[in-house]
Each structure stands twice: as structure tokens, then as C-alpha cells.
Amino acid sequence: MEKLKIGVIGMGRVGLVTATAFASLGFEVWGSDKDKNRIEKLKRGKTPFFEPGLQELLNKGIEKNALHFCANNKELIAEADVLFLCVGTPSREDGSADLSQVEEVAREIALQAKGKKLIVEKSTVPVKTAQWIMRTINLYSRGKADIEVASNPEFLREGKAIEDFLKPDRIVIGAENETAKEKLLQLYEKFNCPKIVTDIKTAEIIKHASNAFLATKISFINLVADLCEATGADVNIVSDAMGLDRRIGRAFLDAGLGYGGSCLPKDVKAFTLIGENFGINFNLLKEVDRINDSRIDRFLEHIHQALWTAKSKVLGILGLSFKPETDDIRETAALRIIPKLLEEGAYLKLYDPVASKAFMEQFPEDPSSFTYVKSPYESARDAHALLILTDWKDFRELDFKKIKKLMITPIIIDGRNIVDPEEVISVGFEYYPMGRRPWHPGRF
Ligand code: UDX
């Protein structure tokens, strides 16, 4: 079979990684997005968001002339043999996935495609979406093209997306016939990881089930963290000990402010609704969601325990992104904590290594109540407490002696248990973690 040409529709965090990674593997790739600015920036070699390693892949792809960016799907649909759908599937009000972008692209492909095409669901979609795509194709293509549909869900973590694409734990292929299966196996022939080849519905469920389970692990350990706080136990040690059981595994057992981002919160809600639409009781995942939501109030309790009141206090805020190594602020804890602190009359000094620009778009600086600063030390200057909302590695390695000198009162409230308690206690801080005993000089 001659080398397949690849089209990737949607130059977001999944699509752009998919396009540049396939280009780095020697494929000719077309990438399209309806956001013309984004396409113009990509043509000039500018990545629209921060993702470690993406800029290098983009440069290489453009250098080799293996990457073609288009502001509409016409050329891509004409040129590509395999068309990956990487468009957004955002949550609707009721938590279900909004598939209107998928439907729109499917219609466009059906009307324009000629010859053999394989449409591949890459974005996370509810089970049976492929059936709707197929129905749309049959309705609009009027037999002009021989179009197949398959599922190839992504398991990319922001901040590690390139590594997760090029060195995946597994590849999942959902196909209903040999042609579709063979084409996808050809794209991934250089990958020596387990390849699960199954029917499309099973492949669609694997993705949602995986994310829902990861969220369940996080909420489980946060539930245990609440009990540890109530009893004076240490959740970090519980996580370490549990994680040594290879059936459990240590990953995703870090207690703290819980999960944010554009995937886990959305996928838990969507999967719950899918289950209920098929008449199955998904209360387990409703509890996962509830526990996650309750992290914010738990953290605010720690702030009041440490400060009595946040009113007229200066608070340094470290971390605005939903997790380290990304500038993505979707569903980040900061978006829920900061308004509550402002409501209480605190003055905030916000710092993040890369996400301040994104945060500023939603929270333009208002010097009368909060400001953005360029370093964690500026955030600590004249502060009554330092609040850690994202577990950036840098925050663990700060010069806490210097931080203490800058602060009015030496208090750290750590939403991600990222700081070494012994280190900060030894220089005289009060330290308030999640799911662990607070360290303060014997007050109360
Ligand atoms: C997730 C899935 O990991 C990935 O496989 C899927 O393709 C997309 O969704 P991502 O949303 O990028 O990836 O972030 P992830 O690394 O999963 O973290 C999600 C959230 O959980 C972050 O807010 C993180 O801070 C939080 N988290 C993670 C915890 O609170 N505790 C943990 O132990 C791990």
C-alpha cells in the first residue's frame, strides 16, 4: 500500500500534536482549522499554545515541507487519504458532549470527498458517534466517494502530549472492516506498543472509561485525604503505600485540589450522561464529581484556619494553570478560588510560569484588588500567606529563607502538597497541606 497522506481537522491541543508527530514520522500531513489567525500563525511556525517539544516538531515539519496548513478543509479533503477529526467536543449545559463540530465536518467531507477516504475519530466522543458520522456520510455523499469511519482515541496528557503520542502505552483502533483496520495499522506500524484492534463502539468506550477511571482514582484519594485530615493521618504516605501494590499503581493518587483541565471534568460528566441515557445508574461518577468539587471549599477552610479571615490580607497566589507544564487554564482550581478570595476582600498577587497571559484574558488586572507579578518572590513580597494552587516543580525549589524575609507572616497554604514540609518548617513557616497535619507552632 503506498504511503498514506494524512489530514488533521482541528489544530487544537490534540490535532496539532497529531499533525506534527505524524509529520516527524515521515508522513505528509495537512492540518486545517477554521480559525484563520491560528492557521496564519502556524504557517509562520508559531505554536498557538504552550506544549513542551511542540515548537521543535512544528519547525521540523515545516522545514521538511511535510506539513501543510489550510484555513479551510477543501484541500485537505482532496489530498488526504486518512482524515483525523480533532475538532472540539465541548460540554453542553447538561454535561453532554456538543458534537455539532463533528457533524459539520462529516457533512463537509461527504459533500466534497472523492475516491477512498477514511474518517478517524480522534477527539473523545460518546459511544455510537461513529454511527452518526456514517449516517451523515450516507445522507450527503450521494455515492461520490467510498468513505469509511474508524475510531482511534487519543490518550494525550497536556504537558506530556508529544511523549504520549510517540511513546503511547497502547494504541486503540476501532474499525468495522479490514480496509480501515489495515490503514490505521499502517500509520502506526513503527510503534512497538500493544495495539488493541476492536469494533468502533468498544474503542469509543475505552477512552471515556479510561478518563473516568483516572478521575475516580483522584477523587478516591481526595476522599481518603479528608479522613486523614480528620484523624491526623498522612495521605501522602497512604498514597505511597497503596501505590506499591502494582494492581493499584502510584500515579493519579496525589491528593490536593483535584482534577481540572479540558478533559477529566468534561469526560466524567459526559460518561455519566451516556450511561444514564442507556438506563444505567452512574451514581459512582456523580460522587467522583462531587468530591472533586468539594476540594475548593476544603482549601478555603485551610485558608480560614491559617488566617482567620482573608479580608484585607495580601495573598500570594502561585500557579494559575490546571496542572504543571501547560498554559491551559480550563477548569483550573484558580478560576474558582480567586473569585471567592476577592469576594472576601483579599488582595491577590498572581504568579504562574506560563499561564498568566491566558488567565489575564479572563481576569484582566484590577490593581485595586489583584495584580500579576513576574516571579514567585514578587508574589510573596508583603504577603500574609502564600497559596500554592498548581504543582509546578519550581515551587518546590524556591529559596524559602528569602521568601520568609519578604512576607509579613510566614504562612504557606499548599493545595498540591508540592512543598517539603520539613524544609519550610525548619525556616519558621506555618504550613497547611491537604490531607496531612498542618504544621504550626502549637496554636489552638
Ligand atoms: C487527561 C488524561 O490523563 C489523558 O490521558 C487524556 O487524554 C486527557 O485528559 P490532562 O487533562 O492533560 O490528561 O491532565 P492530567 O495529567 O490527567 O491531570 C488532570 C488533572 O488531575 C490536573 O488538574 C491534575 O492536577 C489533577 N491530578 C492529576 C490530581 O489532582 N492528582 C493526581 O494524582 C493526578
Side-chain angles (χ1 to χ4, degrees):
M1 192 190 285
E2 67 167 34
K3 195 152 193 114
L4 293 166
K5 291 180 186 171
I6 294 173
V8 180
I9 300 175
M11 290 288 100
R13 291 173 185 271
V14 173
L16 187 53
V17 168
T18 300
T20 52
F22 270 128
S24 75
L25 294 172
F27 291 95
E28 190 169 10
V29 183
W30 281 258
S32 69
D33 198 294
K34 58 187 176 194
D35 176 344
K36 291 185 175 26
N37 290 336
R38 178 163 290 211
I39 292 297
E40 281 321 304
K41 277 176 82 167
L42 286 167
K43 282 180 176 172
R44 293 199 309 274
K46 293 200 172 333
T47 54
F49 46 77
F50 176 78
E51 177 63 50
L54 183 61
Q55 186 63 60
E56 293 73 10
L57 279 194
L58 178 62
N59 297 344
K60 257 170 59 184
I62 292 174
E63 240 164 72
K64 289 191 320 188
N65 195 24
L67 271 174
H68 315 286
F69 294 111
C70 349
N72 63 54
N73 296 325
K74 199 166 170 43
E75 185 188 334
L76 180 147
I77 293 171
E79 292 289 345
D81 306 303
V82 183
L83 292 78
F84 283 94
L85 301 191
C86 297
V87 294
T89 55
S91 290
R92 281 200 289 236
E93 273 302 297
D94 65 1
S96 63
D98 171 359
L99 298 172
S100 54
Q101 296 178 52
V102 175
E103 191 272 346
E104 188 187 328
V105 168
R107 215 171 343 123
E108 197 180 346
I109 295 170
L111 290 169
Q112 292 181 20
K114 292 189 183 61
K116 287 186 176 310
K117 301 291 173 186
L118 174 61
I119 298 178
V120 182
E121 294 170 334
K122 183 54 101 172
S123 307
T124 307
V125 291
V127 58
K128 301 193 118 178
T129 299
Q131 280 179 354
W132 279 105
I133 295 174
M134 214 49 237
R135 182 177 130 67
T136 306
I137 297 295
N138 294 336
L139 211 53
Y140 291 88
S141 71
R142 302 192 189 94
K144 273 201 318 304
D146 166 12
I147 302 177
E148 305 277 354
V149 181
S151 164
N152 173 221
E154 52 87 8
F155 298 97
L156 308 180
R157 288 166 296 167
E158 290 185 25
K160 294 200 172 52
I162 309 274
E163 178 191 328
D164 285 347
F165 189 99
L166 294 172
K167 297 195 196 77
D169 291 341
R170 73 320 204 171
I171 286 167
V172 172
I173 291 172
E176 304 300 339
N177 64 45
E178 281 312 299
T179 329
K181 187 178 118 185
E182 286 318 312
K183 280 184 182 172
L184 280 169
L185 285 172
Q186 193 215 24
L187 294 187
Y188 291 111
E189 67 185 354
K190 289 183 188 160
F191 289 71
N192 51 15
C193 65
K195 291 167 190 161
I196 308 283
V197 184
T198 180
D199 64 276
I200 293 181
K201 286 194 286 291
T202 304
E204 289 169 332
I205 285 189
I206 288 168
K207 172 62 199 239
H208 260 139
S210 301
N211 269 8
F213 183 73
L214 291 169
T216 302
K217 256 189 122 173
I218 293 168
S219 280
F220 179 82
I221 202 62
N222 280 324
L223 189 63
V224 171
D226 290 352
L227 179 62
C228 287
E229 278 186 17
T231 57
D234 186 329
V235 73
N236 275 13
I237 299 172
V238 173
S239 299
D240 290 344
M242 284 175 68
L244 288 172
D245 180 328
R246 58 178 174 282
R247 296 166 303 169
I248 298 174
R250 181 59 182 77
F252 282 66
L253 283 182
D254 295 327
L257 284 166
Y259 54 84
S262 65
C263 296
L264 296 192
K266 170 180 77 110
D267 289 354
V268 167
K269 291 181 177 68
F271 204 34
T272 301
L273 271 163
I274 291 165
E276 292 185 332
N277 289 346
F278 285 94
I280 294 140
N281 178 326
F282 263 54
N283 285 349
L284 171 69
L285 290 188
K286 284 183 181 169
E287 265 308 286
V288 166
D289 212 20
R290 183 196 63 75
I291 293 164
N292 197 56
D293 285 346
S294 71
R295 300 298 93 211
I296 306 301
D297 289 339
R298 175 67 64 172
F299 187 66
L300 289 166
E301 277 167 28
H302 290 176
I303 294 171
H304 296 135
Q305 187 189 16
L307 296 174
W308 191 359
T309 165
K311 189 167 170 45
S312 340
K313 295 289 183 359
V314 175
L315 304 177
I317 305 285
L318 298 188
L320 300 173
S321 58
F322 83 90
K323 66 184 264 197
E325 298 305 319
T326 181
D327 59 356
D328 195 344
I329 61 166
R330 288 175 289 184
E331 301 287 324
T332 183
L335 281 174
R336 293 178 59 197
I337 291 167
I338 285 167
K340 288 185 186 274
L341 293 175
L342 293 174
E343 238 169 77
E344 289 193 31
Y347 186 86
L348 308 180
K349 301 169 79 174
L350 312 178
Y351 170 75
D352 186 283
V354 293
S356 293
K357 185 163 163 288
F359 208 82
M360 237 173 251
E361 279 155 29
Q362 290 199 35
F363 274 87
E365 184 165 282
D366 166 6
S368 66
S369 47
F370 65 96
T371 179
Y372 292 89
V373 293
K374 296 238 178 301
S375 89
Y377 299 98
E378 270 318 298
S379 188
R381 185 185 302 281
D382 304 330
H384 295 87
L386 205 51
L387 278 51
I388 301 177
L389 308 187
T390 310
D391 38 334
W392 283 95
K393 230 175 29 284
D394 319 22
F395 300 158
R396 187 176 177 81
E397 289 142 20
L398 292 173
D399 174 347
F400 287 103
K401 281 203 181 80
K402 180 178 169 188
I403 293 264
K404 184 168 181 268
K405 288 199 189 90
L406 290 165
M407 293 180 74
I408 292 175
T409 46
I411 295 175
I412 292 174
I413 305 166
D414 188 351
R416 294 289 181 184
N417 294 346
I418 183 73
V419 158
D420 171 4
E422 300 309 319
E423 182 186 355
V424 295
I425 297 302
S426 67
V427 299
F429 275 94
E430 291 190 9
Y431 177 63
Y432 296 78
M434 301 285 275
R436 313 181 78 187
R437 275 177 307 101
W439 274 263
H440 50 70
R443 284 190 320 177
F444 323 113

